[in-house]
PDB file of all heavy atoms in Angstrom:
ATOM      1  N   GLU A 971       8.475 -10.783   9.282  1.00 96.00           N
ATOM      2  CA  GLU A 971       8.272  -9.893  10.409  1.00 96.00           C
ATOM      3  C   GLU A 971       8.386 -10.647  11.598  1.00 96.00           C
ATOM      4  O   GLU A 971       7.492 -11.555  11.903  1.00 96.00           O
ATOM      5  CB  GLU A 971       7.014  -9.144  10.197  1.00 96.00           C
ATOM      6  CG  GLU A 971       6.793  -7.849  10.998  1.00 96.00           C
ATOM      7  CD  GLU A 971       5.646  -7.032  10.551  1.00 96.00           C
ATOM      8  OE1 GLU A 971       4.491  -7.625  10.278  1.00 96.00           O
ATOM      9  OE2 GLU A 971       5.765  -5.856  10.490  1.00 96.00           O
ATOM     10  N   GLU A 972       9.332 -10.368  12.438  1.00 94.00           N
ATOM     11  CA  GLU A 972       9.634 -11.179  13.633  1.00 94.00           C
ATOM     12  C   GLU A 972       9.556 -12.624  13.494  1.00 94.00           C
ATOM     13  O   GLU A 972       8.979 -13.361  14.213  1.00 94.00           O
ATOM     14  CB  GLU A 972       8.511 -10.728  14.670  1.00 94.00           C
ATOM     15  CG  GLU A 972       8.668  -9.317  15.257  1.00 94.00           C
ATOM     16  CD  GLU A 972       9.989  -9.146  15.994  1.00 94.00           C
ATOM     17  OE1 GLU A 972      10.357  -9.939  16.749  1.00 94.00           O
ATOM     18  OE2 GLU A 972      10.709  -8.031  15.781  1.00 94.00           O
ATOM     19  N   GLY A 973      10.138 -13.023  12.414  1.00 95.00           N
ATOM     20  CA  GLY A 973      10.346 -14.546  12.162  1.00 95.00           C
ATOM     21  C   GLY A 973       9.179 -15.099  11.412  1.00 95.00           C
ATOM     22  O   GLY A 973       9.165 -16.381  11.153  1.00 95.00           O
ATOM     23  N   GLU A 974       8.142 -14.423  11.162  1.00 97.00           N
ATOM     24  CA  GLU A 974       6.927 -14.937  10.518  1.00 97.00           C
ATOM     25  C   GLU A 974       6.841 -14.467   9.097  1.00 97.00           C
ATOM     26  O   GLU A 974       6.997 -13.339   8.754  1.00 97.00           O
ATOM     27  CB  GLU A 974       5.683 -14.415  11.155  1.00 97.00           C
ATOM     28  CG  GLU A 974       4.373 -15.040  10.694  1.00 97.00           C
ATOM     29  CD  GLU A 974       3.084 -14.552  11.305  1.00 97.00           C
ATOM     30  OE1 GLU A 974       3.221 -13.796  12.390  1.00 97.00           O
ATOM     31  OE2 GLU A 974       2.010 -14.782  10.774  1.00 97.00           O
ATOM     32  N   VAL A 975       6.756 -15.441   8.201  1.00 97.00           N
ATOM     33  CA  VAL A 975       6.621 -15.227   6.776  1.00 97.00           C
ATOM     34  C   VAL A 975       5.368 -14.701   6.419  1.00 97.00           C
ATOM     35  O   VAL A 975       4.251 -15.310   6.860  1.00 97.00           O
ATOM     36  CB  VAL A 975       6.969 -16.457   5.937  1.00 97.00           C
ATOM     37  CG1 VAL A 975       6.776 -16.085   4.407  1.00 97.00           C
ATOM     38  CG2 VAL A 975       8.383 -16.926   6.302  1.00 97.00           C
ATOM     39  N   LYS A 976       5.208 -13.477   5.720  1.00 98.00           N
ATOM     40  CA  LYS A 976       3.996 -12.928   5.462  1.00 98.00           C
ATOM     41  C   LYS A 976       4.004 -12.473   3.901  1.00 98.00           C
ATOM     42  O   LYS A 976       5.031 -12.594   3.248  1.00 98.00           O
ATOM     43  CB  LYS A 976       3.720 -11.691   6.277  1.00 98.00           C
ATOM     44  CG  LYS A 976       3.717 -11.987   7.769  1.00 98.00           C
ATOM     45  CD  LYS A 976       3.433 -10.670   8.576  1.00 98.00           C
ATOM     46  CE  LYS A 976       3.375 -11.011  10.085  1.00 98.00           C
ATOM     47  NZ  LYS A 976       3.046  -9.770  10.925  1.00 98.00           N
ATOM     48  N   ASN A 977       2.867 -11.909   3.500  1.00 98.00           N
ATOM     49  CA  ASN A 977       2.721 -11.394   2.063  1.00 98.00           C
ATOM     50  C   ASN A 977       2.055 -10.015   2.176  1.00 98.00           C
ATOM     51  O   ASN A 977       0.860  -9.996   2.638  1.00 98.00           O
ATOM     52  CB  ASN A 977       2.069 -12.414   1.149  1.00 98.00           C
ATOM     53  CG  ASN A 977       2.221 -12.029  -0.266  1.00 98.00           C
ATOM     54  OD1 ASN A 977       1.974 -10.874  -0.734  1.00 98.00           O
ATOM     55  ND2 ASN A 977       2.861 -12.883  -1.061  1.00 98.00           N
ATOM     56  N   PHE A 978       2.681  -9.120   1.676  1.00 98.00           N
ATOM     57  CA  PHE A 978       2.148  -7.717   1.761  1.00 98.00           C
ATOM     58  C   PHE A 978       0.964  -7.459   0.877  1.00 98.00           C
ATOM     59  O   PHE A 978       0.176  -6.532   1.038  1.00 98.00           O
ATOM     60  CB  PHE A 978       3.189  -6.572   1.673  1.00 98.00           C
ATOM     61  CG  PHE A 978       3.813  -6.447   0.322  1.00 98.00           C
ATOM     62  CD1 PHE A 978       3.076  -6.069  -0.829  1.00 98.00           C
ATOM     63  CD2 PHE A 978       5.175  -6.591   0.067  1.00 98.00           C
ATOM     64  CE1 PHE A 978       3.673  -5.948  -2.030  1.00 98.00           C
ATOM     65  CE2 PHE A 978       5.852  -6.451  -1.084  1.00 98.00           C
ATOM     66  CZ  PHE A 978       5.039  -6.124  -2.211  1.00 98.00           C
ATOM     67  N   LEU A 979       0.826  -8.414  -0.148  1.00 98.00           N
ATOM     68  CA  LEU A 979      -0.270  -8.183  -1.173  1.00 98.00           C
ATOM     69  C   LEU A 979      -1.662  -8.228  -0.444  1.00 98.00           C
ATOM     70  O   LEU A 979      -2.632  -7.782  -0.928  1.00 98.00           O
ATOM     71  CB  LEU A 979      -0.224  -9.284  -2.163  1.00 98.00           C
ATOM     72  CG  LEU A 979       1.080  -9.191  -3.151  1.00 98.00           C
ATOM     73  CD1 LEU A 979       1.104 -10.441  -4.013  1.00 98.00           C
ATOM     74  CD2 LEU A 979       1.088  -7.749  -3.820  1.00 98.00           C
ATOM     75  N   VAL A 980      -1.765  -8.859   0.822  1.00 98.00           N
ATOM     76  CA  VAL A 980      -3.006  -8.893   1.480  1.00 98.00           C
ATOM     77  C   VAL A 980      -2.872  -8.232   2.793  1.00 98.00           C
ATOM     78  O   VAL A 980      -3.727  -8.400   3.703  1.00 98.00           O
ATOM     79  CB  VAL A 980      -3.453 -10.254   1.759  1.00 98.00           C
ATOM     80  CG1 VAL A 980      -3.886 -10.994   0.310  1.00 98.00           C
ATOM     81  CG2 VAL A 980      -2.438 -11.194   2.331  1.00 98.00           C
ATOM     82  N   ASP A 981      -1.902  -7.322   2.985  1.00 98.00           N
ATOM     83  CA  ASP A 981      -1.653  -6.615   4.217  1.00 98.00           C
ATOM     84  C   ASP A 981      -2.327  -5.278   4.150  1.00 98.00           C
ATOM     85  O   ASP A 981      -2.174  -4.595   3.172  1.00 98.00           O
ATOM     86  CB  ASP A 981      -0.123  -6.567   4.423  1.00 98.00           C
ATOM     87  CG  ASP A 981       0.217  -6.149   5.940  1.00 98.00           C
ATOM     88  OD1 ASP A 981      -0.233  -4.919   6.229  1.00 98.00           O
ATOM     89  OD2 ASP A 981       0.942  -6.852   6.560  1.00 98.00           O
ATOM     90  N   ASP A 982      -2.946  -4.846   5.214  1.00 98.00           N
ATOM     91  CA  ASP A 982      -3.725  -3.597   5.187  1.00 98.00           C
ATOM     92  C   ASP A 982      -2.723  -2.383   4.939  1.00 98.00           C
ATOM     93  O   ASP A 982      -3.112  -1.312   4.472  1.00 98.00           O
ATOM     94  CB  ASP A 982      -4.422  -3.398   6.497  1.00 98.00           C
ATOM     95  CG  ASP A 982      -5.716  -4.117   6.549  1.00 98.00           C
ATOM     96  OD1 ASP A 982      -6.223  -4.537   5.550  1.00 98.00           O
ATOM     97  OD2 ASP A 982      -6.180  -4.337   7.750  1.00 98.00           O
ATOM     98  N   ARG A 983      -1.467  -2.592   5.325  1.00 98.00           N
ATOM     99  CA  ARG A 983      -0.517  -1.591   5.073  1.00 98.00           C
ATOM    100  C   ARG A 983      -0.208  -1.342   3.527  1.00 98.00           C
ATOM    101  O   ARG A 983       0.098  -0.263   3.075  1.00 98.00           O
ATOM    102  CB  ARG A 983       0.822  -1.934   5.786  1.00 98.00           C
ATOM    103  CG  ARG A 983       0.744  -1.796   7.286  1.00 98.00           C
ATOM    104  CD  ARG A 983       1.992  -2.329   8.005  1.00 98.00           C
ATOM    105  NE  ARG A 983       1.909  -3.870   7.970  1.00 98.00           N
ATOM    106  CZ  ARG A 983       2.846  -4.498   8.649  1.00 98.00           C
ATOM    107  NH1 ARG A 983       3.754  -4.005   9.414  1.00 98.00           N
ATOM    108  NH2 ARG A 983       2.780  -5.815   8.553  1.00 98.00           N
ATOM    109  N   TYR A 984      -0.401  -2.402   2.766  1.00 98.00           N
ATOM    110  CA  TYR A 984      -0.214  -2.223   1.383  1.00 98.00           C
ATOM    111  C   TYR A 984      -1.374  -1.430   0.799  1.00 98.00           C
ATOM    112  O   TYR A 984      -1.244  -0.652  -0.077  1.00 98.00           O
ATOM    113  CB  TYR A 984      -0.187  -3.699   0.790  1.00 98.00           C
ATOM    114  CG  TYR A 984      -0.197  -3.857  -0.796  1.00 98.00           C
ATOM    115  CD1 TYR A 984       0.868  -3.435  -1.527  1.00 98.00           C
ATOM    116  CD2 TYR A 984      -1.317  -4.385  -1.387  1.00 98.00           C
ATOM    117  CE1 TYR A 984       0.953  -3.591  -2.882  1.00 98.00           C
ATOM    118  CE2 TYR A 984      -1.315  -4.584  -2.737  1.00 98.00           C
ATOM    119  CZ  TYR A 984      -0.187  -4.104  -3.565  1.00 98.00           C
ATOM    120  OH  TYR A 984      -0.171  -4.247  -4.859  1.00 98.00           O
ATOM    121  N   LYS A 985      -2.564  -1.801   1.286  1.00 98.00           N
ATOM    122  CA  LYS A 985      -3.717  -1.001   0.978  1.00 98.00           C
ATOM    123  C   LYS A 985      -3.546   0.459   1.237  1.00 98.00           C
ATOM    124  O   LYS A 985      -3.844   1.298   0.402  1.00 98.00           O
ATOM    125  CB  LYS A 985      -5.066  -1.542   1.649  1.00 98.00           C
ATOM    126  CG  LYS A 985      -6.222  -0.799   1.445  1.00 98.00           C
ATOM    127  CD  LYS A 985      -7.398  -1.521   2.202  1.00 98.00           C
ATOM    128  CE  LYS A 985      -8.754  -0.747   2.035  1.00 98.00           C
ATOM    129  NZ  LYS A 985      -8.791   0.437   2.878  1.00 98.00           N
ATOM    130  N   GLN A 986      -3.071   0.710   2.394  1.00 98.00           N
ATOM    131  CA  GLN A 986      -2.719   2.166   2.798  1.00 98.00           C
ATOM    132  C   GLN A 986      -1.743   2.840   1.758  1.00 98.00           C
ATOM    133  O   GLN A 986      -1.999   3.927   1.385  1.00 98.00           O
ATOM    134  CB  GLN A 986      -2.139   2.109   4.179  1.00 98.00           C
ATOM    135  CG  GLN A 986      -1.839   3.538   4.759  1.00 98.00           C
ATOM    136  CD  GLN A 986      -1.327   3.482   6.184  1.00 98.00           C
ATOM    137  OE1 GLN A 986      -0.730   2.421   6.617  1.00 98.00           O
ATOM    138  NE2 GLN A 986      -1.243   4.530   6.910  1.00 98.00           N
ATOM    139  N   MET A 987      -0.752   2.103   1.299  1.00 98.00           N
ATOM    140  CA  MET A 987       0.129   2.724   0.459  1.00 98.00           C
ATOM    141  C   MET A 987      -0.444   2.952  -0.933  1.00 98.00           C
ATOM    142  O   MET A 987      -0.211   4.022  -1.594  1.00 98.00           O
ATOM    143  CB  MET A 987       1.388   1.722   0.117  1.00 98.00           C
ATOM    144  CG  MET A 987       2.340   2.206  -0.740  1.00 98.00           C
ATOM    145  SD  MET A 987       3.527   0.900  -1.350  1.00 98.00           S
ATOM    146  CE  MET A 987       2.440  -0.009  -2.494  1.00 98.00           C
ATOM    147  N   ILE A 988      -1.368   2.030  -1.376  1.00 98.00           N
ATOM    148  CA  ILE A 988      -1.951   2.267  -2.656  1.00 98.00           C
ATOM    149  C   ILE A 988      -2.877   3.373  -2.569  1.00 98.00           C
ATOM    150  O   ILE A 988      -3.075   4.167  -3.559  1.00 98.00           O
ATOM    151  CB  ILE A 988      -2.729   0.936  -3.045  1.00 98.00           C
ATOM    152  CG1 ILE A 988      -1.679  -0.082  -3.441  1.00 98.00           C
ATOM    153  CG2 ILE A 988      -3.662   1.169  -4.258  1.00 98.00           C
ATOM    154  CD1 ILE A 988      -2.344  -1.387  -3.907  1.00 98.00           C
ATOM    155  N   GLU A 989      -3.578   3.581  -1.503  1.00 98.00           N
ATOM    156  CA  GLU A 989      -4.456   4.703  -1.331  1.00 98.00           C
ATOM    157  C   GLU A 989      -3.817   5.932  -1.430  1.00 98.00           C
ATOM    158  O   GLU A 989      -4.243   6.998  -2.040  1.00 98.00           O
ATOM    159  CB  GLU A 989      -5.191   4.695  -0.044  1.00 98.00           C
ATOM    160  CG  GLU A 989      -6.254   3.549   0.114  1.00 98.00           C
ATOM    161  CD  GLU A 989      -6.842   3.289   1.562  1.00 98.00           C
ATOM    162  OE1 GLU A 989      -6.134   3.629   2.563  1.00 98.00           O
ATOM    163  OE2 GLU A 989      -7.991   2.750   1.577  1.00 98.00           O
ATOM    164  N   PHE A 990      -2.558   6.107  -0.860  1.00 98.00           N
ATOM    165  CA  PHE A 990      -1.681   7.265  -0.921  1.00 98.00           C
ATOM    166  C   PHE A 990      -1.336   7.426  -2.446  1.00 98.00           C
ATOM    167  O   PHE A 990      -1.427   8.610  -2.929  1.00 98.00           O
ATOM    168  CB  PHE A 990      -0.525   7.240  -0.115  1.00 98.00           C
ATOM    169  CG  PHE A 990       0.507   8.272  -0.232  1.00 98.00           C
ATOM    170  CD1 PHE A 990       0.226   9.590   0.061  1.00 98.00           C
ATOM    171  CD2 PHE A 990       1.737   8.025  -0.928  1.00 98.00           C
ATOM    172  CE1 PHE A 990       1.158  10.538  -0.230  1.00 98.00           C
ATOM    173  CE2 PHE A 990       2.668   8.958  -1.141  1.00 98.00           C
ATOM    174  CZ  PHE A 990       2.379  10.312  -0.842  1.00 98.00           C
ATOM    175  N   LEU A 991      -0.867   6.390  -3.067  1.00 98.00           N
ATOM    176  CA  LEU A 991      -0.417   6.518  -4.493  1.00 98.00           C
ATOM    177  C   LEU A 991      -1.653   7.050  -5.437  1.00 98.00           C
ATOM    178  O   LEU A 991      -1.481   7.682  -6.373  1.00 98.00           O
ATOM    179  CB  LEU A 991       0.208   5.284  -5.076  1.00 98.00           C
ATOM    180  CG  LEU A 991       1.540   4.875  -4.355  1.00 98.00           C
ATOM    181  CD1 LEU A 991       1.963   3.547  -4.720  1.00 98.00           C
ATOM    182  CD2 LEU A 991       2.501   5.806  -4.771  1.00 98.00           C
ATOM    183  N   HIS A 992      -2.793   6.524  -5.109  1.00 98.00           N
ATOM    184  CA  HIS A 992      -3.972   6.836  -5.938  1.00 98.00           C
ATOM    185  C   HIS A 992      -4.227   8.437  -5.665  1.00 98.00           C
ATOM    186  O   HIS A 992      -4.586   9.067  -6.536  1.00 98.00           O
ATOM    187  CB  HIS A 992      -5.161   6.074  -5.594  1.00 98.00           C
ATOM    188  CG  HIS A 992      -6.578   6.565  -6.076  1.00 98.00           C
ATOM    189  ND1 HIS A 992      -6.701   6.634  -7.483  1.00 98.00           N
ATOM    190  CD2 HIS A 992      -7.604   7.136  -5.602  1.00 98.00           C
ATOM    191  CE1 HIS A 992      -7.965   7.062  -7.738  1.00 98.00           C
ATOM    192  NE2 HIS A 992      -8.466   7.394  -6.652  1.00 98.00           N
ATOM    193  N   LYS A 993      -4.065   8.886  -4.441  1.00 98.00           N
ATOM    194  CA  LYS A 993      -4.280  10.245  -4.266  1.00 98.00           C
ATOM    195  C   LYS A 993      -3.279  11.036  -5.025  1.00 98.00           C
ATOM    196  O   LYS A 993      -3.583  12.183  -5.642  1.00 98.00           O
ATOM    197  CB  LYS A 993      -4.027  10.459  -2.658  1.00 98.00           C
ATOM    198  CG  LYS A 993      -4.011  12.029  -2.215  1.00 98.00           C
ATOM    199  CD  LYS A 993      -3.752  11.985  -0.755  1.00 98.00           C
ATOM    200  CE  LYS A 993      -3.681  13.480  -0.287  1.00 98.00           C
ATOM    201  NZ  LYS A 993      -3.388  13.635   1.136  1.00 98.00           N
ATOM    202  N   CYS A 994      -2.032  10.600  -5.138  1.00 98.00           N
ATOM    203  CA  CYS A 994      -1.067  11.243  -5.955  1.00 98.00           C
ATOM    204  C   CYS A 994      -1.453  11.308  -7.393  1.00 98.00           C
ATOM    205  O   CYS A 994      -1.271  12.313  -8.127  1.00 98.00           O
ATOM    206  CB  CYS A 994       0.369  10.631  -5.810  1.00 98.00           C
ATOM    207  SG  CYS A 994       1.037  10.812  -4.123  1.00 98.00           S
ATOM    208  N   TRP A 995      -1.833  10.078  -7.881  1.00 98.00           N
ATOM    209  CA  TRP A 995      -2.358   9.958  -9.224  1.00 98.00           C
ATOM    210  C   TRP A 995      -3.442  10.833  -9.614  1.00 98.00           C
ATOM    211  O   TRP A 995      -3.367  11.606 -10.578  1.00 98.00           O
ATOM    212  CB  TRP A 995      -2.569   8.493  -9.691  1.00 98.00           C
ATOM    213  CG  TRP A 995      -2.992   8.241 -11.099  1.00 98.00           C
ATOM    214  CD1 TRP A 995      -4.288   8.482 -11.640  1.00 98.00           C
ATOM    215  CD2 TRP A 995      -2.070   7.957 -12.045  1.00 98.00           C
ATOM    216  NE1 TRP A 995      -4.091   8.203 -12.952  1.00 98.00           N
ATOM    217  CE2 TRP A 995      -2.926   7.815 -13.248  1.00 98.00           C
ATOM    218  CE3 TRP A 995      -0.784   7.519 -12.134  1.00 98.00           C
ATOM    219  CZ2 TRP A 995      -2.310   7.513 -14.566  1.00 98.00           C
ATOM    220  CZ3 TRP A 995      -0.227   7.105 -13.356  1.00 98.00           C
ATOM    221  CH2 TRP A 995      -1.019   7.110 -14.458  1.00 98.00           C
ATOM    222  N   LYS A 996      -4.398  10.886  -8.692  1.00 98.00           N
ATOM    223  CA  LYS A 996      -5.524  11.712  -8.996  1.00 98.00           C
ATOM    224  C   LYS A 996      -5.214  13.228  -9.087  1.00 98.00           C
ATOM    225  O   LYS A 996      -5.813  13.970  -9.861  1.00 98.00           O
ATOM    226  CB  LYS A 996      -6.562  11.377  -7.917  1.00 98.00           C
ATOM    227  CG  LYS A 996      -7.930  11.920  -8.151  1.00 98.00           C
ATOM    228  CD  LYS A 996      -8.903  11.606  -7.046  1.00 98.00           C
ATOM    229  CE  LYS A 996     -10.345  12.209  -7.327  1.00 98.00           C
ATOM    230  NZ  LYS A 996     -11.322  11.764  -6.342  1.00 98.00           N
ATOM    231  N   ALA A 997      -4.247  13.526  -8.399  1.00 98.00           N
ATOM    232  CA  ALA A 997      -3.738  15.015  -8.307  1.00 98.00           C
ATOM    233  C   ALA A 997      -2.806  15.265  -9.451  1.00 98.00           C
ATOM    234  O   ALA A 997      -2.348  16.343  -9.642  1.00 98.00           O
ATOM    235  CB  ALA A 997      -3.162  15.309  -7.010  1.00 98.00           C
ATOM    236  N   GLY A 998      -2.436  14.230 -10.347  1.00 98.00           N
ATOM    237  CA  GLY A 998      -1.597  14.479 -11.432  1.00 98.00           C
ATOM    238  C   GLY A 998      -0.249  14.533 -11.140  1.00 98.00           C
ATOM    239  O   GLY A 998       0.629  15.025 -11.823  1.00 98.00           O
ATOM    240  N   LEU A 999       0.192  13.923  -9.979  1.00 98.00           N
ATOM    241  CA  LEU A 999       1.538  14.022  -9.472  1.00 98.00           C
ATOM    242  C   LEU A 999       2.426  12.910  -9.883  1.00 98.00           C
ATOM    243  O   LEU A 999       3.719  12.920  -9.735  1.00 98.00           O
ATOM    244  CB  LEU A 999       1.430  14.046  -7.915  1.00 98.00           C
ATOM    245  CG  LEU A 999       0.591  15.106  -7.312  1.00 98.00           C
ATOM    246  CD1 LEU A 999       0.734  15.120  -5.866  1.00 98.00           C
ATOM    247  CD2 LEU A 999       0.966  16.499  -7.830  1.00 98.00           C
ATOM    248  N   ILE A1000       1.902  11.860 -10.479  1.00 98.00           N
ATOM    249  CA  ILE A1000       2.731  10.688 -10.973  1.00 98.00           C
ATOM    250  C   ILE A1000       2.680  10.828 -12.536  1.00 98.00           C
ATOM    251  O   ILE A1000       1.718  11.121 -13.146  1.00 98.00           O
ATOM    252  CB  ILE A1000       2.062   9.307 -10.524  1.00 98.00           C
ATOM    253  CG1 ILE A1000       2.180   9.267  -9.012  1.00 98.00           C
ATOM    254  CG2 ILE A1000       2.827   8.256 -11.103  1.00 98.00           C
ATOM    255  CD1 ILE A1000       1.449   8.056  -8.419  1.00 98.00           C
TER     256      ILE A1000
END
């Protein structure tokens, strides 16, 4: 990101994505 090497496994945006997927799983959508 802008020339800086990062890892999404510890990025809050990854946490946000998992929370959405858990919401989908809990609703039986996956």
Side-chain angles (χ1 to χ4, degrees):
E971 197 164 46
E972 291 296 316
E974 182 181 352
V975 179
K976 300 180 179 181
N977 194 299
F978 67 66
L979 296 174
V980 292
D981 193 296
D982 283 341
R983 291 170 287 185
Y984 176 68
K985 176 175 179 286
Q986 183 181 17
M987 180 196 73
I988 290 179
E989 288 172 334
F990 171 71
L991 291 172
H992 173 61
K993 177 183 175 182
C994 292
W995 181 276
K996 190 175 180 180
L999 306 181
I1000 298 175

